[in-house]
Every structure is written in C-alpha cells, then in structure tokens.
Amino acid sequence: MWKVAIVDDEPKIRRGLKKWILDKSKCFECSFEAKSGEECVENEQGMMVDLYLLDIHMEGLNGLELGKLIKRENPNALIVYITGYDYFEYAHEAIKLQAFDYLLKPVPQSDFFKLLKKANIALTDIYPERQIQRNEPIKETCGGCSQVVLKGKEYIKENYSDPNLSLEKAAKILNVHKDYLSKLMKEESGYSFTEYLTKIRVNSAKELLEQDLTNVRMYDVARKIGYKSQHYFSRTFKKNVGLTPLQYRKEKCNLVDWELF
C-alpha cells in the first residue's frame, strides 16, 4: 500500500482525512501524522512516505517550507497542499512549482477520493514494481450517452468549483457548439448543462455540511463549490433540497456552530 503522511495543525482535519483513508481506500494507508512541520522533519518515518498532505498555514515551519525539505530528502514523493481561501492566492504560484496537487478547505469527500485515484496512478508510474490495484469509483450511469455528453458531465464534475464555469466555456473546451452541447445533454441525461452543474454543486455542499467541521464559514462552503455569493448559494440549495444549508446542517449533524459570515 502507498504510505501517506498528514501534517496539519487542526486535529479534526487530521482525524477526518485519516478516517476517509482507513474506511474507503484499499491503496493507501496513513502511516504518519503530525501537527507541525517540525514534528514531521524530526521523525525519520515522516520524511519517507509516498504521499504528503500538508497544511500550508502552520506556525513555525509552514507547509511550503516543509515541502521543499521533503523534496530534498524524498524527491519522488507526491506533495498535496491543503489550504483555505484566505491563504490560497499568495501561495498559488509557489504551489504550482512543486506540488502534485492542492485541496481547498473545506474538502468534500468526493474530491479527496478523486485525488487519491490520481495519486495512485502517478505513484504506479513512478514505482511500477509496487503496482497496487486501482480503485475505480462507481461511475454514474448514463446509458446510451454520447461521448460528447459523457465528456461534458465529466468536465463539470472536475471543474464545478470554478465560479466562472459556463456552458460556453465547456463547449469551447470540448470543441462543440454550445447549443449542440446544451441540447444533447438535456436529451440524453435529462439535465441541462446548468441543471447538472447545480446538481453536482448541491451534492458537494451536502458532503461538506454533513462533516463535523468547526470554524468553517458558510461563505467558505459557497466558494468551495463555485458560488461567489453565499446568499445565492443558500437560495439555490433551498430550492433543490427544501432546506437552507444551516437547516440541513442542523438536521444531519445536530450541530449549529458554523459561522454565517
């Protein structure tokens, strides 16, 4: 199994990621966790794993600095940075220079497993002799769907967090006319482009709202799933679910500790 290290100063983040790996992944195991960059560096085991999940904003040795040290000692390691929007912009360029990928807090479970799937493929390419059976996620059925529609749906699932995602943008990427893509999606899947995008975003919001996360603002959830406006997100969520995000959160988790703004 591929070995994973989680370095984050938030205990709930470490516990949550570790539990997801333990419960759902057959290819990865959490072999090391630390609450600081210094703790990782001081432990020999912490410097010799296959995949690192590093929080950027930590006191002392931050995630970016730790990543540089890891790459020096363990150049084949994959590094994934975990960050919030408050720290994302200034770190973006640095992340691109050395990261395998990054995750924006809060993290939906579906996004996390997409990352693990991608990491498994990358590690298999690096270490073919250690090849581990790949976990293929259960694919959404779309019986008889054309390649255009299948690619359109996959593009939405991969890019739903982009607030500027649009029918025009997707059609350009897929090299088809926007009217053709819109008509085909509705005919073959039963959802228009916008309806399917909303469905994916609302489902991702549900995943986040069902997690036991503290100090996470509803605004963060809205931005994470591609909405610039928290209020528009709340209206859209209620229209599709029948409850506001806070009502859904309370019903599912019996917790009301989330901040509104």
Side-chain angles (χ1 to χ4, degrees):
M1 299 181 77
W2 307 121
K3 297 184 182 300
V4 182
I6 303 171
V7 185
D8 196 301
D9 58 6
E10 295 185 55
K12 281 192 175 182
I13 296 292
R14 296 198 306 272
R15 287 198 301 268
L17 296 179
K18 184 177 181 179
K19 186 176 188 303
W20 285 351
I21 293 170
L22 179 65
D23 290 349
K24 299 289 182 67
S25 178
K26 296 180 181 178
C27 299
F28 293 88
E29 62 176 347
C30 182
S31 62
F32 181 81
E33 59 179 298
K35 62 181 180 297
S36 68
E38 288 83 357
E39 186 178 344
C40 182
V41 171
E42 291 167 2
N43 191 303
E44 183 178 350
Q45 182 184 7
M47 298 296 284
M48 297 305 296
V49 304
D50 303 301
L51 173 66
Y52 289 85
L53 306 175
L54 307 181
D55 183 21
I56 284 184
H57 189 68
M58 296 184 290
E59 294 296 327
L61 190 66
N62 67 39
L64 295 174
E65 295 166 337
L66 175 59
K68 292 177 183 178
L69 294 176
I70 290 169
K71 277 297 188 181
R72 193 179 305 161
E73 298 293 325
N74 186 3
N76 285 335
L78 303 184
I79 296 178
V80 174
Y81 289 108
I82 304 173
T83 182
Y85 278 99
D86 292 343
Y87 307 103
F88 177 64
E89 291 302 327
Y90 82 88
H92 191 202
E93 290 304 316
I95 290 173
K96 288 196 299 184
L97 292 176
Q98 57 180 313
F100 174 71
D101 209 335
Y102 59 85
L103 294 171
L104 290 177
K105 295 179 182 178
V107 182
Q109 189 177 96
S110 57
D111 285 4
F112 183 67
F113 287 116
K114 285 178 187 175
L115 169 73
L116 291 187
K117 178 185 175 184
K118 188 166 70 169
N120 182 36
I121 293 171
L123 287 167
T124 299
D125 289 339
I126 297 171
Y127 304 106
E129 72 280 3
R130 294 173 56 193
Q131 183 170 350
I132 298 169
Q133 182 179 359
R134 294 175 180 174
N135 285 337
E136 295 294 337
I138 298 174
K139 294 184 178 180
E140 182 179 343
T141 58
C142 187
C145 285
S146 63
Q147 284 298 310
V148 171
V149 172
L150 291 173
K151 288 179 180 179
K153 293 173 76 173
E154 190 62 30
Y155 183 77
I156 290 173
K157 286 187 281 188
E158 292 292 334
N159 297 277
Y160 71 89
S161 59
D162 178 4
N164 297 314
L165 181 59
S166 65
L167 172 61
E168 290 79 4
K169 189 173 182 178
K172 186 175 181 180
I173 293 293
L174 297 174
N175 198 29
V176 296
H177 193 279
K178 63 183 181 65
D179 294 339
Y180 176 70
L181 176 60
S182 178
K183 179 182 178 182
L184 211 58
M185 282 196 68
K186 188 68 174 180
E187 289 178 351
E188 295 185 6
S189 71
Y191 295 96
S192 68
F193 181 92
T194 301
E195 289 169 344
Y196 191 74
L197 174 58
T198 299
K199 174 188 173 185
I200 296 300
R201 284 175 169 169
V202 168
N203 286 344
S204 293
K206 286 180 178 180
E207 289 183 25
L208 294 171
L209 294 169
E210 290 169 8
Q211 295 178 34
D212 182 14
L213 298 173
T214 55
N215 301 319
V216 175
R217 301 167 299 178
M218 199 61 67
Y219 177 62
D220 293 328
V221 175
R223 291 185 67 179
K224 180 66 184 73
I225 65 171
Y227 291 112
K228 296 178 181 178
S229 165
Q230 173 194 324
H231 300 293
Y232 181 73
F233 158 58
S234 295
R235 290 197 303 270
T236 302
F237 189 92
K238 185 174 182 180
K239 181 179 178 181
N240 285 270
V241 180
L243 300 170
T244 67
L246 284 175
Q247 288 170 338
Y248 184 86
R249 165 76 172 164
K250 184 177 180 180
E251 182 178 282
K252 291 293 181 180
C253 304
N254 196 29
L255 296 170
V256 290
D257 54 6
W258 281 40
E259 300 175 35
L260 281 171
F261 302 100

